[in-house]
């Protein structure tokens, strides 16, 4: 399984010379396994993915964790949606009153976007997901609602060679009265269990979090504790605060690692980074 | 160990934050949690009782109707909610772990996640005046 990060910024694209290393594009991750290609979220990072879709790929599955703008703002700009020969499956969370198509159409229609969802030339299929498991090629996908405002999923992708877990927007300590000591009472813990790589929300410092409780995001410290609890092998901080420069992020990462030593790898998810799980 | 579903985790967090006694059960009626105010009412800490089956918790408090007749477990509001997935309310007597008889009212409601997944139920209790 090959994983490529095309966007790891949270909330708002933040391109600037000071964010060049980690990148300023919002959530978008490409997962490849043989002839299967999955795109995790459709943030502004999808623009860079446009030039990196292998020519043999005839079907792309886009898994949306939720429909906050930073996770779908790139959708209408994904070039494969305009290819009549391409099968595009979009998987997203179930709502209560409106189906996935209705909710996506709010964005993909005038006046917010010139082209309507139903007018896209590709062979488009929409699938609603709720705490369910399904297969895409040789990859088994498990989904579960996680603690974040509005219907929001995390995804666990299990391939023959290992496990990737993607929980970009998640406030694990909010729903748990004794975090991080009780895995069964911690949202998302089953998804992340024994992951080879965990991409997890790490937007805030512990000081910032004090005034942002309930906003749906994790501290860097909680991301580490969550990864430790779920016995993750490698944690990559994701959903970087849009106000952080590369220098600031690197210094915070170093500080967090020093204050909470663990026996697994921790890093910053950065645009262009590639990771291989098993053989590819 | 698998984690509970988000709706149950958040329900427990809500219960843990309130000063109203609350029971939280799964779809089979297994008692997953009761909060501190419920501990006070029942006379025992949750850590001491641990998780209980519906057969255990629905009989151990010896519920009685207001007229003094024994109340069958299936008439308890929480048991009714597990059966019909609808809110239920009732008043009755219980005998707590300290052998004290208390008149309480209970309001139970189902926890139904998106989309229409019955995940369990919560019951709030009120100790009635004069009991």
């Amino acid at each position: 399984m090959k994983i490529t990060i095309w966007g790891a910024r949270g909330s708002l694209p933040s391109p600037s010379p000071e964010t060049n290393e980690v990148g300023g594009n919002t959530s978008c991750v490409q997962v490849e396994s043989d002839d299967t290609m999955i795109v995790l979220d459709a943030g502004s990072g999808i623009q860079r993915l446009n030039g990196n879709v292998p020519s043999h790929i005839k079907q792309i599955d886009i898994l949306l964790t939720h429909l906050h703008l930073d996770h779908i703002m790139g959708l209408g700009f994904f070039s494969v949606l305009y290819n009549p020969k391409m099968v595009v499956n979009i998987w997203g969370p179930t709502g209560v009153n409106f189906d996935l198509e209705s909710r996506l159409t709010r964005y993909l229609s005038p006046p917010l976007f010139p082209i309507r969802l139903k007018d896209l030339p590709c062979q488009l299929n929409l699938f609603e997901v709720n705490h369910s498991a399904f297969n895409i090629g040789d990859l088994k996908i498990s989904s579960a609602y996680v603690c974040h405002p509005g219907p929001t999923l995390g995804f666990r992708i299990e391939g023959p060679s290992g496990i990737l877990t993607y929980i970009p927007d998640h406030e694990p300590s909010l729903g748990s009265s004794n975090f991080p000591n009780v895995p069964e009472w911690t949202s998302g813990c089953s998804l992340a269990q024994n992951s080879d790589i965990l991409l997890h929300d790490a937007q805030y410092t512990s000081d910032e979090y004090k005034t942002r409780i309930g906003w749906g995001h994790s501290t860097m410290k909680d991301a580490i504790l969550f990864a430790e609890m779920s016995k993750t092998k490698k944690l990559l901080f994701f959903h970087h605060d849009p106000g952080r420069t590369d220098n600031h992020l690197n210094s915070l990462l170093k500080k967090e690692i020093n204050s909470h030593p663990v026996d697994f790898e921790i890093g910053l998810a950065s645009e262009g980074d590639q990771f291989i799980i098993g053989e590819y | 160990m698998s984690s509970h579903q988000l709706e149950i985790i958040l329900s427990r967090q809500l219960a843990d934050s309130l000063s109203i006694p609350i029971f939280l059960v799964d779809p089979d009626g297994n008692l997953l949690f009761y909060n501190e105010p419920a501990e006070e009412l029942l006379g025992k800490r949750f850590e001491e009782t641990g998780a209980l089956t519906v057969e255990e918790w629905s009989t151990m408090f010896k519920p009685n109707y207001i007229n003094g007749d024994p109340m069958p477990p299936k008439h308890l509001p929480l048991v009714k909610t597990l059966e019909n997935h609808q809110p239920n309310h009732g008043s009755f007597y219980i005998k707590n772990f300290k052998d004290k008889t208390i008149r309480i009212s209970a309001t139970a409601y189902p926890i139904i996640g998106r989309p229409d997944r019955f995940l369990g139920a919560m019951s709030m209790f009120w100790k009635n005046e004069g009991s």
Side-chain angles (χ1 to χ4, degrees):
Chain A
M1 185 161 32
K2 182 166 84 174
I3 298 135
T4 310
I5 312 289
W6 296 114
R9 188 66 57 170
S11 309
L12 186 70
S14 315
S16 82
E18 290 76 32
T19 59
N20 211 30
E21 178 192 325
V22 173
N25 281 307
T26 63
S27 304
C28 185
V29 176
Q30 179 184 15
V31 180
E32 296 167 88
S33 177
D34 294 330
D35 290 336
T36 300
M37 182 175 143
I38 291 174
V39 179
L40 298 169
D41 279 331
S44 65
I46 215 164
Q47 174 60 27
R48 292 191 63 193
L49 170 58
N50 273 330
N52 289 280
V53 176
S55 57
H56 69 278
I57 292 292
K58 304 294 178 220
Q59 173 183 315
I60 290 180
D61 289 80
I62 303 171
L63 274 56
L64 301 174
T65 55
H66 61 307
L67 305 191
H68 284 167
L69 196 55
D70 54 326
H71 293 258
I72 61 166
M73 60 169 56
L75 191 58
F77 300 92
F78 195 18
S79 56
V80 301
L81 296 176
Y82 301 90
N83 179 352
K85 291 181 180 168
M86 187 67 82
V87 175
V88 179
N89 300 321
I90 299 179
W91 307 73
T94 306
V96 177
N97 295 322
F98 299 98
D99 62 18
L100 182 61
E101 183 176 356
S102 306
R103 286 176 292 138
L104 278 176
T105 300
R106 286 183 186 174
Y107 164 50
L108 288 168
S109 63
L112 295 180
F113 198 76
I115 299 161
R116 293 173 196 277
L117 185 70
K118 66 182 176 60
D119 294 332
L120 290 168
C122 70
Q123 298 166 49
L124 184 67
N125 303 299
L126 300 178
F127 299 99
E128 302 209 349
V129 181
N130 62 88
H131 209 93
S132 46
F134 50 95
N135 289 300
I136 299 174
D138 61 349
L139 301 176
K140 181 188 171 192
I141 319 294
S142 304
S143 68
Y145 289 115
V146 296
C147 196
H148 186 71
T152 302
L153 297 166
F155 292 112
R156 175 186 176 92
I157 302 176
E158 291 179 65
S161 55
I163 300 164
L164 166 70
T165 300
Y166 178 68
I167 315 181
D169 292 49
H170 186 212
E171 189 173 0
S173 65
L174 185 68
S176 177
S177 48
N178 193 16
F179 181 79
N181 300 316
V182 199
E184 66 269 33
W185 287 103
T186 302
S187 125
C189 196
S190 294
L191 289 177
Q193 205 70 34
N194 300 314
S195 296
D196 291 284
I197 295 179
L198 168 63
L199 299 170
H200 193 277
D201 190 336
Q203 181 154 354
Y204 302 140
T205 65
S206 297
D207 275 347
E208 289 167 345
Y209 183 64
K210 289 173 192 164
T211 57
R212 296 167 194 184
I213 293 170
W215 290 19
H217 296 290
S218 174
T219 64
M220 294 174 171
K221 182 183 171 189
D222 284 352
I224 295 172
L225 295 173
F226 180 81
E228 191 172 33
M229 181 201 303
S230 53
K231 299 182 172 58
T232 294
K233 297 187 184 79
K234 184 188 190 87
L235 166 67
L236 294 170
F237 285 177
F238 205 87
H239 209 274
H240 311 303
D241 190 276
R244 298 223 208 282
T245 63
D246 293 333
N247 287 342
H248 195 194
L249 275 171
N250 281 311
S251 113
L252 288 172
L253 174 67
K254 196 173 170 186
K255 189 177 154 194
E256 292 293 342
I257 291 173
N258 287 338
S259 63
H260 194 93
V262 289
D263 59 0
F264 54 87
E265 278 185 74
I266 306 176
L268 299 170
S270 302
E271 278 181 43
D273 279 354
Q274 282 198 334
F275 303 93
I276 306 289
I277 298 178
E279 292 178 6
Y280 183 75
Chain B
M1 182 178 286
S2 67
S3 48
H4 292 289
Q5 298 201 33
L6 179 66
E7 297 85 344
I8 295 297
I9 291 172
L10 293 176
S11 296
R12 175 179 171 148
Q13 181 71 356
L14 173 66
D16 214 17
S17 312
L18 297 180
S19 56
I20 305 164
I22 290 179
F23 262 41
L24 174 65
V25 298
D26 72 12
D28 297 322
N30 296 310
L31 181 61
L32 299 175
F33 178 69
Y34 59 86
N35 62 2
E36 275 189 31
E39 290 176 344
E40 191 184 333
L41 187 75
L42 303 175
K44 200 171 251 187
R45 291 180 56 77
F46 179 66
E47 284 69 24
E48 295 175 77
T49 61
L52 299 169
T53 65
V54 63
E55 291 78 18
E56 290 170 323
W57 63 257
S58 63
T59 53
M60 70 194 329
F61 302 114
K62 300 180 179 61
N64 278 349
Y65 289 110
I66 299 301
N67 67 9
D69 292 341
M71 176 186 260
K74 65 180 181 182
H75 286 184
L76 287 167
L78 186 51
V79 178
K80 283 195 215 170
T81 292
L82 286 167
E83 183 67 29
N84 63 18
H85 300 187
Q86 290 180 2
N88 288 279
H89 178 84
S91 295
F92 48 94
Y93 285 101
I94 61 163
K95 192 169 274 190
N96 74 5
F97 283 113
K98 292 179 178 169
D99 226 23
K100 186 178 174 190
T101 300
I102 305 168
R103 179 176 164 160
I104 60 171
S105 293
T107 299
Y109 63 89
I111 299 169
I112 299 174
R114 287 181 291 253
D116 296 327
R117 289 174 302 134
F118 178 66
L119 302 170
M122 282 178 90
S123 185
M124 296 180 170
F125 299 94
W126 284 265
K127 197 172 165 181
N128 292 156
E129 291 290 324
S131 61

